[in-house]
Amino acid sequence: MKESVILSLENVTKQYSEDSKPAVNHVSLSLLEGDILGFLGPSGCGKTTLLRLIGGLERPQTGTVAIGGKVVCDRTNWIPPENRDIGIVFQDYALFPHLTVVKNVAFGLKNLSKQQVEQRVSATLKLVQLTGLEQRYPYELSGGQQQRVALARALAPQPKLLLLDEPLSNLDVQVRLQLREEMRDIIKAAGTSAVFVTHDQEEALAMCDIVGVMQQGHLEQIGTPEEIYTHPASRFVAEFVTQANFLPARRQGHFWSTEIGKFDVKTKDSPETGEIMIRQEDCILQLCTNSPLVIRSRRFLGREYRYCLHTPSGQEIHIRTGIDTAIPEGATVQISVADDLVRIFSDYTQKG
Ligand SMILES: Nc1ncnc2c1ncn2[C@@H]1O[C@H](COP(=O)(O)OP(=O)(O)O)[C@@H](O)[C@H]1O
Ligand SMILES: [Mg+2]
């Protein structure tokens, strides 16, 4: 079966006012049917605006939006949100407080008989595991349960595309982690495609099939979670997604020299200086009496230790190791990292 494109954006730009920077700047992408796409980036980078442009809650200055092969917005066409075949879930649930769970979920169902509505609501509540709570009001539910109702309400009309704006951000950590897993299963079981906004990198990597990393309105990189994590396209993506360490590096022949050692890294272009990216989990620590690297702190996080080291120049390096590597604070150590795990970002690759 050929996979078809459910969502495509071409050159979409949105500027809220003439004297402000574009909130969304020349974004193009496409999403295959059945996939979950995540927009990931810091607060204010344009994630919500981009989601609202897809949903028809905002209108772009330029660009084309197509859903399910149908243009819903371009220079001459405009299809309003209610005719875009989408479902929307917001961070604050936005349930109707005076309606029961059943009535909230039935709200968007049009052109169906009473019996069909009952069937659809009951099947959707089963999908989100709320069977038994049909007659409750929102205030009688926990945050996690309210968000399940909101999800059911968005899914009940069986939209082509589900849009979710930070749906887990208002929940406690425990509930958030559990619902994150279930939400992915529910969306997959419903057979719908989805666009999911979050500022939490772990959430994006865990929930989504494709992740688009945004900065200041730009889509910096789009790819599978594995691609984004292992081959970040820019310094920004590397820092935001992997929380890696960056150290100044200088080319010496075909090596890159840093204050913690030399690395054999290939780069496409040949800059003389740059920054080396070293992921926290890629380092091996060994006691070494005459090393200038000092362990300033060691924190036990259950599954791992998190170390903070100081280099001679005063820079901090964060490292995570298994709990079998227990080196005391104050000790001096050597760091080893496999050459193929580090990456170089030069000014050139940052711009490109
Ligand atoms: N309704 C609005 N009017 C004017 N500026 C807005 C509006 N909504 C968002 N912005 C601005 O657009 C930029 C992107 O915001 P937003 O899309 O909410 O980012 P995010 O969801 O990533 O935090 C920010 O600079 C924000 O201040
Ligand atoms: Mg937002």
Side-chain angles (χ1 to χ4, degrees):
M1 200 175 74
K2 191 171 168 290
E3 285 175 311
S4 58
V5 172
I6 188 72
L7 170 71
S8 90
L9 305 182
E10 244 173 77
N11 225 7
V12 172
T13 294
K14 169 74 186 178
Q15 204 169 1
Y16 283 105
S17 63
E18 274 181 21
D19 52 357
S20 66
K21 282 191 183 163
V24 166
N25 203 344
H26 291 90
V27 169
S28 301
L29 59 85
S30 63
L31 175 68
L32 292 178
E33 193 160 15
D35 276 355
I36 303 176
L37 165 67
F39 291 142
L40 171 66
S43 178
C45 72
K47 306 179 295 292
T48 294
T49 303
L50 188 50
L51 197 77
R52 291 172 64 85
L53 288 165
I54 296 168
L57 304 170
E58 299 287 351
R59 201 169 178 155
Q61 270 80 17
T62 64
T64 304
V65 180
I67 296 174
K70 188 164 112 184
V71 171
V72 294
C73 165
D74 64 8
R75 201 182 297 204
T76 50
N77 296 288
W78 176 257
I79 294 181
E82 60 274 21
N83 297 335
R84 289 192 179 192
D85 210 351
I86 51 167
I88 306 184
V89 178
F90 299 99
Q91 182 175 351
D92 61 0
Y93 327 133
L95 297 175
F96 303 111
H98 59 290
L99 296 183
T100 59
V101 166
V102 166
K103 288 191 173 152
N104 263 285
V105 175
F107 188 81
L109 296 174
K110 308 260 154 51
N111 307 321
L112 295 178
S113 70
K114 193 163 169 265
Q115 197 193 0
Q116 285 172 316
V117 169
E118 277 168 14
Q119 277 174 358
R120 185 74 69 78
V121 170
S122 144
T124 315
L125 285 177
K126 192 170 167 211
L127 184 68
V128 302
Q129 296 180 20
L130 282 180
T131 308
L133 301 180
E134 290 82 354
Q135 299 310 322
R136 296 251 187 120
Y137 286 88
Y139 70 87
E140 297 173 307
L141 300 172
S142 70
Q145 289 169 333
Q146 290 183 52
Q147 196 53 299
R148 284 168 199 266
V149 178
L151 185 60
R153 183 180 61 185
L155 285 172
Q158 301 181 329
K160 279 204 185 95
L161 186 63
L162 188 64
L163 306 177
L164 307 110
D165 192 356
E166 309 236 11
L168 302 170
S169 297
N170 277 359
L171 302 169
D172 302 340
V173 177
Q174 287 298 332
V175 181
R176 189 161 75 213
L177 291 180
Q178 194 195 345
L179 194 53
R180 172 168 104 188
E181 294 303 312
E182 285 179 29
M183 215 173 224
R184 186 178 155 91
D185 292 344
I186 291 166
I187 293 169
K188 292 289 173 184
T192 181
S193 315
V195 183
F196 180 91
V197 162
T198 179
H199 62 271
D200 181 319
Q201 41 91 18
E202 195 182 291
E203 199 168 285
L205 299 178
M207 279 276 304
C208 302
D209 302 300
I210 300 287
V211 177
V213 185
M214 293 183 69
Q215 186 193 22
Q216 294 183 7
H218 283 285
L219 194 59
E220 288 259 325
Q221 183 174 9
I222 183 162
T224 64
E226 289 86 351
E227 282 163 359
I228 299 274
Y229 197 91
T230 55
H231 289 97
S234 67
R235 163 78 153 83
F236 173 80
V237 174
E239 183 160 30
F240 194 77
V241 178
T242 69
Q243 281 134 36
N245 298 286
F246 293 89
L247 292 170
R250 178 169 290 280
R251 183 191 282 278
Q252 273 182 0
H254 60 272
F255 284 100
W256 284 87
S257 162
T258 72
E259 63 174 326
I260 65 162
K262 280 186 183 173
F263 297 88
D264 185 2
V265 197
K266 295 193 177 42
T267 48
K268 264 192 297 193
D269 41 84
S270 46
E272 286 308 304
T273 58
E275 280 182 293
I276 196 160
M277 176 192 105
I278 299 175
R279 288 192 201 91
Q280 297 184 14
E281 67 275 29
D282 290 343
C283 301
I284 296 166
L285 284 184
Q286 275 171 316
L287 272 172
C288 175
T289 43
N290 51 13
S291 165
L293 292 172
V294 186
I295 295 188
R296 280 303 149 104
S297 68
R298 184 183 84 191
R299 295 283 173 267
F300 177 64
L301 301 181
R303 276 177 222 96
E304 61 186 15
Y305 279 119
R306 188 182 154 116
Y307 289 93
C308 176
L309 274 61
H310 275 198
T311 69
S313 73
Q315 184 168 346
E316 288 186 348
I317 300 180
H318 297 278
I319 293 176
R320 293 163 185 266
T321 72
I323 53 170
D324 46 348
T325 303
I327 302 176
E329 292 179 349
T332 54
V333 289
Q334 209 176 26
I335 300 178
S336 17
V337 195
D339 288 332
D340 59 345
L341 295 178
V342 305
R343 283 176 64 80
I344 297 284
F345 290 99
S346 64
D347 289 345
Y348 182 83
T349 48
Q350 275 177 58
K351 283 190 205 106

